[in-house]
Amino acid sequence: MSAVNDTKFNSAVFLLTGIPGQEDVHLWISILFCLMYVISIIGNSVILFIIKTDPSLHEPMYIFLSMLAITDLGLSISTMPTILGIFLFNSREISLDACFTQLFFIHSLQCIESSVLLLMAFDRFIAICNPLRYASILTPPRIVKMGLMCVLRGVTVIMPLPLLLKRFQYCRANVLSHSYCLHQDIMKLACSDITINSIYGLSGSLLIMGLDSLLILLSYVMILKTVLSALSPAECLRALNTCVSHLCVVLIFYTPEISLTVIHRFGNSSIHLLQILLSYVYLLIPPLMNPIVFSSLWWTWES
């Protein structure tokens, strides 16, 4: 009997998957991924360095941006070992404990990033709709508490997932669909009833991603209403310019996130390649693009 059929978790392993049918070019793909990781890590580190060293950037908007950069660094570090291990060294095996640990960090950081994007939307809402109270509402102590709440929210919602998975016996094929561990992917390999996991996972996604995206949409409806009714055309354009970068990052984050969640739960084998491609967009593109997109903030304020 294979290791994965053993009920002892410390001897069981999962097999991660690269891009099926493209094994001959995995080395070349690894070069692209290495470049993406280097750009992501350098870009987010530079943002943190600039914000830390420039006192004029110690404002709520840039503090929230630094929170986003820290989260993106965490996501890059969480996925880098397994993705590069597969494409560089064809190292596919991962133990259950290591897989559950990676799953926890990936999903927690995704939840934290969603919360930070909501805080950034709230920042723009206050700055445009209630500018006279901006400094009194977003004080440094309050910003710190908001950041801690983002972390606590993500950890609290995600912590049950690996604990629920750990109680299962895995007696089916031990091959995962991605180069990293996801809750939706692992629970399908269990030979037990996964109803609780499925309901809790979907509820968690709706509570975090669904609620956050709805509140972000609502904040921009209020912003648009204020801008169109109270400001001159020139002021309107300038106010909206401060929101463009955030809107781009929101779309970059939520579009593949929601698409991959839907495919995992309701898709079929005919769209497996799309699922694989979205899995890389889902975690690699936001940390890569966020520093590039938000670099326009400095240009916006300088112009």
Side-chain angles (χ1 to χ4, degrees):
M1 184 175 292
S2 65
V4 66
N5 288 337
D6 197 323
T7 58
K8 295 182 179 180
F9 286 99
N10 58 8
S11 65
V13 296
F14 290 132
L15 295 179
L16 301 168
T17 301
I19 301 179
Q22 304 298 321
E23 288 78 10
D24 293 341
V25 294
H26 270 189
L27 183 60
W28 294 104
I29 296 174
S30 70
I31 296 175
L32 173 63
F33 285 160
C34 284
L35 183 61
M36 293 173 69
Y37 276 123
V38 169
I39 295 174
S40 299
I41 292 173
I42 292 178
N44 287 289
S45 298
V46 168
I47 284 181
L48 290 172
F49 176 78
I50 292 175
I51 293 175
K52 178 178 175 57
T53 56
D54 189 345
S56 66
L57 299 180
H58 295 174
E59 299 177 1
M61 177 174 63
Y62 295 104
I63 295 174
F64 292 137
L65 177 56
S66 67
M67 293 180 186
L68 187 69
I70 292 172
T71 306
D72 285 335
L73 281 173
L75 278 172
S76 295
I77 294 171
S78 297
T79 58
M80 186 190 306
T82 53
I83 291 180
L84 294 186
I86 289 175
F87 288 95
L88 280 174
F89 309 110
N90 195 32
S91 177
R92 299 181 60 196
E93 289 191 357
I94 183 171
S95 68
L96 264 70
D97 288 337
C99 194
F100 295 157
T101 301
Q102 185 185 50
L103 172 154
F104 170 76
F105 280 107
I106 288 176
H107 287 297
S108 295
L109 289 167
Q110 286 284 304
C111 291
I112 294 170
E113 180 151 348
S114 178
S115 299
V116 172
L117 290 175
L118 176 59
L119 292 184
M120 298 177 83
F122 178 70
D123 169 81
R124 291 297 84 207
F125 170 75
I126 298 297
I128 294 173
C129 299
N130 201 353
L132 296 180
R133 297 189 59 198
Y134 182 78
S136 62
I137 294 176
L138 294 176
T139 60
R142 189 167 291 166
I143 291 173
V144 171
K145 292 178 182 177
M146 294 165 74
L148 291 176
M149 285 301 297
C150 288
V151 175
L152 182 61
R153 181 191 188 210
V155 171
T156 302
V157 171
I158 298 303
M159 179 62 74
L161 294 182
L163 299 179
L164 288 171
L165 290 172
K166 198 170 180 65
R167 67 190 177 90
F168 288 147
Q169 296 178 8
Y170 295 91
C171 55
R172 298 177 183 175
N174 63 335
V175 181
L176 299 175
S177 303
H178 305 295
S179 303
Y180 49 84
C181 298
L182 292 176
H183 173 255
Q184 307 97 306
D185 208 11
I186 297 174
M187 70 176 183
K188 293 178 180 178
L189 304 183
C191 54
S192 308
D193 183 12
I194 61 172
T195 302
I196 294 178
N197 283 65
S198 183
I199 293 175
Y200 184 84
L202 181 59
S203 300
S205 296
L206 293 175
L207 177 63
I208 300 291
M209 305 300 176
L211 181 60
D212 289 354
S213 58
L214 182 62
L215 291 175
I216 290 173
L217 176 62
L218 179 61
S219 69
Y220 273 104
V221 170
M222 298 299 293
I223 288 173
L224 193 60
K225 180 181 177 181
T226 300
V227 165
L228 295 179
S229 63
L231 300 180
S232 66
E235 292 173 328
C236 174
L237 182 61
R238 181 169 179 79
L240 291 177
N241 279 340
T242 65
C243 302
V244 170
S245 297
H246 179 254
L247 280 172
C248 291
V249 170
V250 167
L251 290 175
I252 291 171
F253 176 78
Y254 282 107
T255 302
E257 168 82 24
I258 294 173
S259 300
L260 190 59
T261 299
V262 171
I263 289 175
H264 263 297
R265 298 187 181 280
F266 307 111
N268 51 55
S269 58
S270 63
I271 52 176
H272 182 64
L273 180 59
L274 176 60
Q275 177 180 319
I276 295 295
L277 295 177
L278 278 175
S279 73
Y280 292 109
V281 174
Y282 162 74
L283 285 182
L284 298 183
I285 297 302
L288 173 70
M289 293 302 299
N290 288 351
I292 298 173
V293 172
F294 273 110
S295 65
S296 64
L297 276 174
W298 282 279
W299 295 104
T300 299
W301 285 100
E302 289 292 332
S303 60

